[in-house]
Amino acid sequence: MKISVIITLKKDVLDPQGKVIHQTLDGMGFNDLNEVRQGKYFEIETKESDPKKAKDKVEEMCKKLLANLVIENYKIIDAQ
Amino acid sequence: MKSSVITFPGSNCDRDMDVALKKFGFKNKMVWHNDAEFPKSDLVVLPGGFSYGDYLRCGSMASKSKIMKSVINFANSGGIVMGICNGFQILVETGLVPGVLLRNKYLEFICKNVFVKINNKQNTFFKNIDNNVLEFHIAHNEGNYFCTKDQLKEIEDNEQVAINYCDKDGKSEEQFNPNGSIKNIAGIFNKKKNILGMMPHPERMIDPSLSGEDGSLFFNNLINNLK
């Protein structure tokens, strides 16, 4: 089973990389953007076949390693 | 006095730290991250570098290394632990000290000498040091200290800010902040002040002909405080 996770920076955390990407896009002519925030995306393949159990495990991984909850939020995308 | 320096894959200031500790009288041992234990020590140092290539977040992988269980136990039982640069990043990832270190505000790798103001001398690291301002070296890409408002209040209430970036006279203002850190924070303690995490490298300031001597002041003072 494959589970995907998206990690994003919390709203009040400065994202200088996102800002530079925004400025660059703006310079390329994409000038109707309000904001760009950069995040991380993970694809995790597990041997677990029970979607609920797999999701719980991935949630634990997010809390313990994949995200730093001081600055980041995580979102688990449904198992496939 | 005995010390241990932990080497992670990608550490590159571990030998500099070894040289500095030995120069000022420590009997130092290098310890590999995959060992379960380190020898009996009065001081454990997490050195600078790029542990695990800074994958995921700086320090995040190293904070889960085998040796870190022993380091965390040692720290929690009052042992003196110091994390420099990447070592500081590892400390925040273990949760031993609060906050995180973000990418520098202007996205530049910063490599230069800075002045830091000692904010608190009621601890093993800075007790009895005469100077209020020290000149250290910084070299980092992720040194922008950040914490939540609640954490900041707690850190300030408990006097956990160890050092702030400042000018040579100790003025800690925004213009002397190299990386965007909240309140110019360059280093912090845990609540009990037996753990110090800081971005500057005192081990690079131990030879007047190469750099400066404020690191010598720091290490001399540290070993005397540990005796």
Side-chain angles (χ1 to χ4, degrees):
Chain A
M1 178 177 298
K2 193 157 90 181
I3 297 188
S4 307
V5 179
I6 293 178
I7 312 269
T8 51
L9 276 175
K10 287 185 176 170
K11 251 196 164 159
D12 52 349
V13 178
L14 185 75
D15 177 16
Q17 294 177 90
K19 244 184 191 156
V20 170
I21 295 165
H22 182 180
Q23 284 165 8
T24 305
L25 286 169
D26 194 70
M28 292 163 71
F30 299 101
N31 41 26
D32 52 354
L33 311 178
N34 290 326
E35 197 182 20
V36 178
R37 305 277 286 172
Q38 185 178 325
K40 293 178 188 136
Y41 173 74
F42 299 86
E43 283 178 348
I44 298 166
E45 281 212 44
T46 169
K47 293 189 182 91
E48 179 60 63
S49 53
D50 181 288
K52 166 87 176 70
K53 277 186 192 162
K55 218 173 155 177
D56 287 351
K57 265 271 150 65
V58 171
E59 178 145 23
E60 200 185 334
M61 292 175 207
C62 289
K63 286 179 179 162
K64 287 186 173 167
L65 181 71
L66 301 182
N68 183 326
L69 300 180
V70 179
I71 48 165
E72 292 169 327
N73 291 321
Y74 62 88
K75 192 175 167 192
I76 298 167
I77 297 166
D78 273 339
Q80 303 168 10
Chain B
M1 289 291 110
K2 290 178 181 157
S3 58
S4 293
V5 172
I6 315 293
T7 302
F8 300 92
S11 295
N12 65 3
C13 303
D14 47 337
R15 280 176 288 178
D16 291 20
M17 185 55 79
D18 180 57
V19 168
L21 291 167
K22 284 176 178 161
K23 184 170 181 181
F24 299 99
F26 283 94
K27 283 187 179 149
N28 186 55
K29 284 265 183 323
M30 305 302 282
V31 179
W32 184 234
H33 75 112
N34 213 22
D35 291 351
E37 301 284 342
F38 52 84
K40 199 175 177 309
S41 301
D42 303 290
L43 169 72
V44 171
V45 182
L46 308 178
F50 301 84
S51 59
Y52 292 87
D54 283 345
Y55 290 176
L56 190 62
R57 293 177 308 276
C58 302
S60 64
M61 300 295 173
S63 73
K64 313 291 181 203
S65 280
K66 205 168 177 185
I67 193 70
M68 284 310 291
K69 276 189 187 155
S70 301
V71 174
I72 290 167
N73 286 339
F74 178 74
N76 284 336
S77 57
I80 302 295
V81 176
M82 181 164 77
I84 305 297
C85 198
N86 188 226
F88 184 15
Q89 294 163 341
I90 295 168
L91 281 178
V92 299
E93 283 287 342
T94 60
L96 286 171
V97 294
V100 292
L101 292 147
L102 298 174
R103 193 83 190 263
N104 294 342
K105 191 174 173 185
Y106 302 109
L107 297 172
E108 286 171 328
F109 186 94
I110 306 167
C111 182
K112 64 175 187 180
N113 285 6
V114 292
F115 293 100
V116 292
K117 187 182 75 173
I118 302 167
N119 217 17
N120 183 335
K121 292 189 182 177
Q122 308 295 315
N123 54 76
T124 309
F125 300 97
F126 296 109
K127 191 174 66 189
N128 300 325
I129 211 160
D130 288 332
N131 301 37
N132 293 319
V133 175
L134 297 170
E135 186 180 11
F136 281 162
H137 188 81
I138 54 168
H140 61 246
N141 202 35
E142 282 88 3
N144 178 356
Y145 183 78
F146 178 86
C147 60
T148 63
K149 273 184 190 156
D150 292 345
Q151 278 179 320
L152 184 63
K153 188 177 180 306
E154 209 185 317
I155 289 167
E156 289 186 325
D157 288 352
N158 295 319
E159 299 181 315
Q160 284 172 253
V161 178
I163 49 174
N164 302 85
Y165 298 108
C166 64
D167 71 350
K168 64 178 184 2
D169 300 316
K171 247 191 273 164
S172 183
E173 290 171 2
E174 179 55 33
Q175 56 181 310
F176 310 118
N177 184 341
N179 54 24
S181 289
I182 288 186
K183 302 237 169 164
N184 285 32
I185 291 173
I188 54 167
F189 303 111
N190 64 330
K191 241 184 218 170
K192 285 188 183 164
K193 318 219 171 29
N194 60 308
I195 309 170
L196 167 65
M198 62 176 173
M199 291 315 294
H201 291 266
E203 79 278 14
R204 294 190 184 181
M205 305 298 266
I206 58 161
D207 189 327
S209 62
L210 287 177
S211 47
E213 286 203 285
D214 285 4
S216 309
L217 287 175
F218 175 79
F219 285 107
N220 249 328
N221 189 62
L222 179 60
I223 192 163
N224 286 329
N225 286 344
L226 284 167
K227 273 174 191 166

